[in-house]
Amino acid sequence: MYTPAEVRALTPIRNNVENLANEKPDLRDVFLCHAWDDRKGVAKELHDMLESRGVSVWFSEKDAGLGVPLLRSIDKGLANSRVGIVLVTPALLKRLKSEGIADKELSALLARDRLVPIVHETTYEELRDVSPLLGSRAGLDTAEEPMADVADKLSELVAPLIVNVE
């Protein structure tokens, strides 16, 4: 069940991705931006939950091939995904300060109107201290609902894409 604020925030994203589904049906549903430190933990958990719900996820741990330059692989993943999900954790906040790969992904995602932050084990206030632009975007928070419910909402957000692609 979405809150009224989530409906207001996510409806424009849903409209944008529905249009993209019709224009470019071969895109991935989501690009998952996360901190390197979270790749085997919460990021993998979210990836697995989304995939189990029929969402195609670009996830560097499975999609960046051996011998392929990582930044070029990420660039292609960003270009070929309809929605960007930023998994905001304490590790990501630390990584953003160091201006590494996650910071580059975030910069690309902020330029689009198809970005959903997922705040996990941190707060929007802490996020705004590091990235006011990302912190100004409405998203979902695992302090308010379990990760499984967040995955349900995200899969519902891209559901029209799944239906249109099949």
Side-chain angles (χ1 to χ4, degrees):
M1 176 80 58
Y2 288 96
T3 66
E6 290 171 343
V7 170
R8 281 190 304 278
L10 297 176
T11 295
I13 295 169
R14 185 178 184 119
N15 293 339
N16 284 334
V17 295
E18 283 177 354
N19 292 335
L20 267 179
N22 294 325
E23 295 169 17
K24 299 179 180 181
D26 57 335
L27 298 180
R28 293 280 178 100
D29 296 319
V30 298
F31 178 96
L32 178 55
C33 173
H34 60 88
W36 177 255
D37 304 6
D38 295 326
R39 74 189 185 284
K40 293 183 180 178
V42 67
K44 174 87 168 90
E45 177 187 348
L46 179 57
H47 164 270
D48 293 349
M49 286 182 185
L50 291 170
E51 293 245 324
S52 74
R53 288 159 175 80
V55 177
S56 62
V57 180
W58 194 95
F59 186 53
S60 58
E61 282 57 43
K62 76 170 192 289
D63 292 302
L66 292 175
V68 176
L70 181 60
L71 285 178
R72 185 61 190 128
S73 183
I74 289 170
D75 195 41
K76 287 181 181 179
L78 287 163
N80 293 309
S81 299
R82 292 185 187 98
V83 177
I85 297 171
V86 180
L87 183 59
V88 181
T89 63
L92 182 80
L93 295 178
K94 196 181 305 183
R95 293 280 180 175
L96 291 178
K97 290 177 184 176
S98 67
E99 299 181 4
I101 291 174
D103 185 60
K104 289 172 180 47
E105 292 174 356
L106 177 58
S107 294
L109 291 170
L110 283 168
R112 306 162 97 179
D113 286 330
R114 302 182 310 264
L115 171 63
V116 180
I118 308 300
V119 175
H120 179 73
E121 295 183 351
T122 189
T123 65
Y124 269 95
E125 291 77 29
E126 290 173 304
L127 171 58
R128 282 189 283 275
D129 287 343
V130 176
S131 176
L133 288 173
L134 181 59
S136 71
R137 304 280 179 117
L140 303 169
D141 189 339
T142 61
E144 296 174 8
E145 56 195 329
M147 186 65 81
D149 291 351
V150 167
D152 287 340
K153 286 181 178 183
L154 291 170
S155 63
E156 185 178 293
L157 178 68
V158 299
L161 306 177
I162 295 168
V163 172
N164 286 341
V165 171
E166 292 179 347

